[in-house]
Amino acid sequence: MKKITTLITALFLSFISFSTVHTINAGAYYYTPSTLSVFVGDTVEWINDGGYHDVNANINSQTSASFNNPVSFQSSATNIVNAVIHTQIFTVPGTYNYDCSIGSHAAAGMTGT
């Protein structure tokens, strides 16, 4: 039993040590970068550069259809400069699409993958 516990702990620690934290900036109708490749276990943080924004990976703000992401998520909106809008740890592989669901931000190009 001790060997199994040690193996599980070692695997967990190696998983954590190879994960990366990525930053996406959100501002006046943009997410930068708008496209990002991450590995399973990586964390993505969306930071507010200014304005009132959220991160919506649930229902497409322009079509009202589901994004059909492997995992859906939706943040609260904030207007606090330099605030973390949302943090997501990606544990399920796949393509994730998202937008800002505030007003017409998505229609103005505030979308990401």
Side-chain angles (χ1 to χ4, degrees), residues 7 14-16 27 59 64 68-69 79 85 87 89 92 95 105 107 111:
L7 178 61
S14 68
F15 174 75
I16 291 173
I59 304 296
S64 298
N68 291 316
N69 289 327
N79 64 351
I85 301 170
T87 300
I89 299 172
V92 179
T95 299
H105 291 191
T111 62

Side-chain angles (χ1 to χ4, degrees), residues 15-61:
F15 174 75
I16 291 173
S17 65
F18 290 109
S19 63
T20 301
V21 176
H22 304 272
T23 300
I24 296 176
N25 292 81
Y29 309 113
Y30 67 82
Y31 289 116
T32 300
S34 61
T35 303
L36 180 67
S37 295
V38 301
F39 292 99
V40 170
D42 284 359
T43 300
V44 177
E45 286 185 333
W46 285 262
I47 305 294
N48 191 10
D49 288 347
Y52 189 63
H53 306 293
D54 68 358
V55 179
N56 164 43
N58 187 17
I59 304 296
N60 186 310
S61 298

Side-chain angles (χ1 to χ4, degrees), residues 62-76:
Q62 297 177 77
T63 66
S64 298
S66 173
F67 277 118
N68 291 316
N69 289 327
V71 174
S72 296
F73 52 90
Q74 170 78 46
S75 76
S76 298

